Amino acid sequence: MPEDENNKFLLNLLYNFYTTERNGNYMRDGGGAFGFDIHHALEIDYLIRNYRCDSIIETGTHFGDTTCFLAKTYPHLKIITCETYKKFYDKSKIRLSKYDNVEVVYNSSEKVIEKYLPSLHFPLIYLDAHWENYWPLQDEIKHITHGIVCVGDFNIKDKRFGFDRYNGIACDLS
């Protein structure tokens, strides 16, 4: 991408990130795309553009903050996002209905990956459906055959960054 096009894209990304409404109900960080972490958004952008991802699967829609940002920033990419909590699904379905490139699915993430992944060439797969009683991460990974995989709330062994635990198990390589 020529430098002036790249700069225009970056300005658009920053604008989309900071103007996407934050619906962080029930979230310790107040919501926002990628927990309102611009570094995280820039890292995802790097992966999408440098690995030429042609679509995005996002698990754990919640209220759609991240999905909304992705839809505005990458209108040329098909985005499939899923949610199992009916209240969150209903709200995000309405919120995201204005984006032609987004499909909001009411189903468990491992089932969505199993169904949609075979029809996608090289997606970015953002795994963020891990809270409540069922932690689908291992089941999600079993269905992934191709693409770039990112796991939200992962323990990178740096005290500056939080991570999730489920039933006493840390979200990490083990």
Side-chain angles (χ1 to χ4, degrees):
M1 185 181 290
E3 188 174 341
D4 57 329
E5 274 186 54
N6 195 41
N7 289 340
K8 192 184 291 186
F9 183 87
L10 180 59
L11 288 174
N12 184 60
L13 181 144
L14 292 170
Y15 177 82
N16 290 339
F17 183 83
Y18 287 111
T19 61
T20 296
E21 182 182 359
R22 297 173 72 186
N23 289 299
N25 299 358
Y26 314 107
M27 298 181 76
R28 67 178 178 264
D29 60 13
F34 301 109
F36 206 59
D37 183 342
I38 188 61
H39 299 100
H40 197 149
L42 291 169
E43 290 166 350
I44 293 294
D45 173 64
Y46 176 87
L47 294 171
I48 289 171
R49 291 200 291 151
N50 284 283
Y51 288 93
R52 297 186 177 126
C53 295
D54 63 346
S55 53
I56 299 169
I57 295 177
E58 175 201 22
T59 66
T61 311
H62 198 254
F63 287 128
D65 293 2
T66 297
T67 317
C68 186
F69 163 75
L70 292 170
K72 291 190 296 186
T73 307
Y74 309 99
H76 61 289
L77 297 183
K78 172 141 184 83
I79 300 170
I80 300 159
T81 185
C82 61
E83 180 58 57
T84 59
Y85 187 54
K86 185 75 164 117
K87 177 182 172 183
F88 295 166
Y89 167 80
D90 290 341
K91 288 185 181 247
S92 61
K93 178 89 170 161
I94 293 167
R95 179 182 188 192
L96 299 165
S97 66
K98 63 185 167 188
Y99 301 105
D100 293 334
N101 61 327
V102 175
E103 182 174 351
V104 184
V105 180
Y106 181 61
N107 206 341
S108 187
S109 56
E110 79 283 358
K111 292 176 184 169
V112 169
I113 291 168
E114 182 179 29
K115 177 181 178 180
Y116 289 91
L117 186 59
S119 66
L120 303 174
H121 178 69
F122 198 74
L124 174 94
I125 305 164
Y126 185 66
L127 304 177
D128 200 27
H130 42 264
W131 56 322
E132 301 284 330
N133 294 326
Y134 171 53
W135 186 15
L137 192 56
Q138 289 182 346
D139 293 330
E140 291 169 336
I141 291 169
K142 286 177 189 174
H143 294 291
I144 297 174
T145 57
H146 60 282
I148 299 289
V149 178
C150 297
V151 179
D153 307 306
F154 193 84
N155 183 3
I156 61 169
K157 310 286 186 206
D158 185 324
K159 292 179 184 178
R160 295 174 296 167
F161 300 98
F163 61 94
D164 287 345
R165 288 182 184 275
Y166 301 94
N167 297 322
I169 300 170
C171 185
D172 61 17
L173 286 175
S174 63

